[in-house]
């Protein structure tokens, strides 16, 4: 199989741990650190770990940030929100850099813009989190979002707090959370109601992912990758089928080992 110019590899996606590798032959960006920096990651990099330019972490929860310290202590630039740094034992490590929503940065050929999303901790308090706009000449623009009920930003107006939908232009590749199906979770007898409510306020349903997919500009989009799909409250084949039918775009369900050609050349 010939080398691809830029690929996206799923190391893990879901509550057991999230990690994605965006790489070409010369450089790599690790998105999320919810799984160990181990043989699986190194093999996906073809053992060329020197090409890692940075790790970017969306928020502090274990399935996204538990192993950020491993990358950081190995000397790799690790970008995280202050809340994540404070709660994930990342303070004092020289390679850890605080990122702020709305403030972009560049590592190697990757330009990264974190943008704010709404997520919650298990106790109902807000959990600072971001999505990412990632740009590289080899793959165009990627829009990544996870762990949010809606793809919106908070705006204070004269009439109070409003939630304004995002709509980023010129996105070549979407990585959209599609966590659960309302029909499945509502009929579950094993999940307490308070847990169902927490899931619904912290993760994106198929219904809401469909709303996003129908709202955003897909004119430059090559494919949609559905991420953070629940093991017990989802039907990934149904999700792919419905997103594909709604958008006319290629659609994939994230699972470990999946590699997609993200090259635009």
């Amino acid at each position: 199989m010939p080398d691809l110019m830029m690929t996206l590899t799923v190391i893990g996606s879901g509550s057991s741990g999230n990690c994605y590798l965006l790489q070409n032959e010369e450089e790599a960006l690790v998105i999320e650190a919810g799984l160990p920096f181990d043989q699986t990651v190194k093999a996906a990099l073809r053992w060329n770990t020197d090409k890692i330019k940075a790790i970017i972490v969306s928020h502090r929860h274990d399935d996204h940030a538990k192993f950020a310290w491993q990358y950081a202590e190995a000397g790799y630039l690790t970008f995280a929100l202050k809340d994540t740094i404070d709660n994930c034992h990342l303070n004092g490590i020289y390679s850890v850099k605080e990122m702020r929503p709305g403030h972009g940065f560049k590592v190697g050929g990757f330009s990264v813009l974190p943008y704010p999303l709404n997520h919650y901790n298990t106790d109902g308090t807000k959990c600072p989190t971001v999505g990412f706009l990632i740009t590289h000449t080899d793959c165009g623009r990627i829009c990544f979002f996870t762990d949010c009920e809606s793809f919106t930003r908070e705006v204070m107006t004269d009439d109070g707090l409003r939630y304004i939908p995002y709509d980023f232009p010129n996105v070549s590749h979407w990585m959209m959370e599609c966590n659960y199906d309302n029909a499945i979770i509502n009929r579950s007898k094993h999940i307490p109601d308070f847990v169902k409510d927490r899931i619904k306020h912290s993760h994106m349903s198929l219904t809401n992912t469909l709303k996003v997919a129908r709202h955003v500009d897909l004119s430059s989009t090559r494919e949609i990758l559905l991420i953070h799909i629940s093991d017990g409250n989802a039907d990934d084949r149904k999700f792919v089928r419905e997103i594909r039918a709604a958008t006319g775009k290629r659609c994939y369900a994230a699972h470990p080992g999946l590699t997609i050609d993200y090259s635009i050349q």
Side-chain angles (χ1 to χ4, degrees):
M1 179 177 175
D3 291 334
L4 302 173
M5 183 168 291
M6 183 69 79
T7 61
L8 187 285
T9 298
V10 179
I11 304 300
S13 184
S15 58
S16 60
N18 296 272
C19 183
Y20 312 88
L21 299 181
L22 182 63
Q23 63 178 319
N24 60 19
E25 288 302 305
E26 298 179 345
E27 53 188 1
L29 182 69
V30 181
I31 307 169
E32 307 285 49
L35 290 168
F37 182 40
D38 62 5
Q39 305 282 61
T40 303
V41 176
K42 294 172 184 177
L45 290 164
R46 299 183 185 178
W47 307 99
N48 182 9
T49 57
D50 289 342
K51 72 177 181 178
I52 296 175
K53 296 302 179 183
I55 294 81
I56 55 176
V57 180
S58 64
H59 65 290
R60 76 189 206 195
H61 290 160
D62 279 356
D63 56 330
H64 298 263
K66 184 175 182 179
F67 297 96
W69 67 272
Q70 288 187 340
Y71 291 91
E73 291 197 347
Y76 298 107
L77 283 175
T78 303
F79 290 86
L81 299 171
K82 185 178 186 304
D83 179 77
T84 303
I85 294 171
D86 291 343
N87 285 279
C88 295
H89 312 293
L90 298 174
N91 280 303
I93 304 177
Y94 78 95
S95 58
V96 173
K97 306 298 180 184
E98 180 185 342
M99 64 181 178
R100 293 184 292 162
H103 294 259
F105 55 91
K106 189 173 177 66
V107 284
F110 300 100
S111 296
V112 181
L113 176 65
Y115 59 91
L117 293 166
N118 295 297
H119 188 44
Y120 296 89
N121 297 307
T122 55
D123 62 3
T125 57
K126 290 198 72 170
C127 176
T129 188
V130 292
F132 300 111
L133 277 177
I134 303 165
T135 306
H136 191 286
T137 54
D138 289 348
C139 64
R141 175 180 267 189
I142 300 164
C143 185
F144 171 96
F145 64 87
T146 188
D147 289 51
C148 55
E149 178 187 8
S150 61
F151 186 53
T152 57
R153 65 188 186 277
E154 291 182 343
V155 177
M156 183 59 70
T157 70
D158 292 339
D159 298 320
L161 191 64
R162 294 185 60 199
Y163 294 89
I164 309 299
Y166 286 113
D167 187 6
F168 299 115
N170 306 316
V171 174
S172 306
H173 316 277
W174 286 90
M175 298 175 70
M176 299 182 176
E177 181 181 46
C178 193
N179 182 259
Y180 68 93
D181 187 336
N182 276 308
I184 296 175
I185 198 170
N186 286 340
R187 68 171 178 256
S188 174
K189 304 297 185 183
H190 306 292
I191 304 175
D193 287 344
F194 77 92
V195 176
K196 292 180 182 180
D197 289 341
R198 179 176 60 79
I199 292 171
K200 291 178 180 181
H201 283 91
S202 291
H203 292 282
M204 191 165 288
S205 65
L206 170 62
T207 300
N208 285 348
T209 307
L210 281 165
K211 288 179 182 177
V212 173
R214 291 177 176 130
H215 168 76
V216 298
D217 177 8
L218 297 176
S219 59
S220 299
T221 297
R222 292 188 54 184
E223 80 291 303
I224 297 168
L225 176 63
L226 303 180
I227 62 174
H228 211 303
I229 300 173
S230 169
D231 288 334
N233 301 314
D235 179 342
D236 56 354
R237 292 184 180 181
K238 175 185 176 181
F239 288 7
V240 167
R241 185 170 62 248
E242 294 204 14
I243 296 293
R244 184 183 296 152
T247 64
K249 299 294 181 178
R250 286 180 295 172
C251 183
Y252 303 90
H255 58 80
L258 174 68
T259 295
I260 303 173
D261 179 5
Y262 266 26
S263 171
I264 59 170
Q265 298 180 9

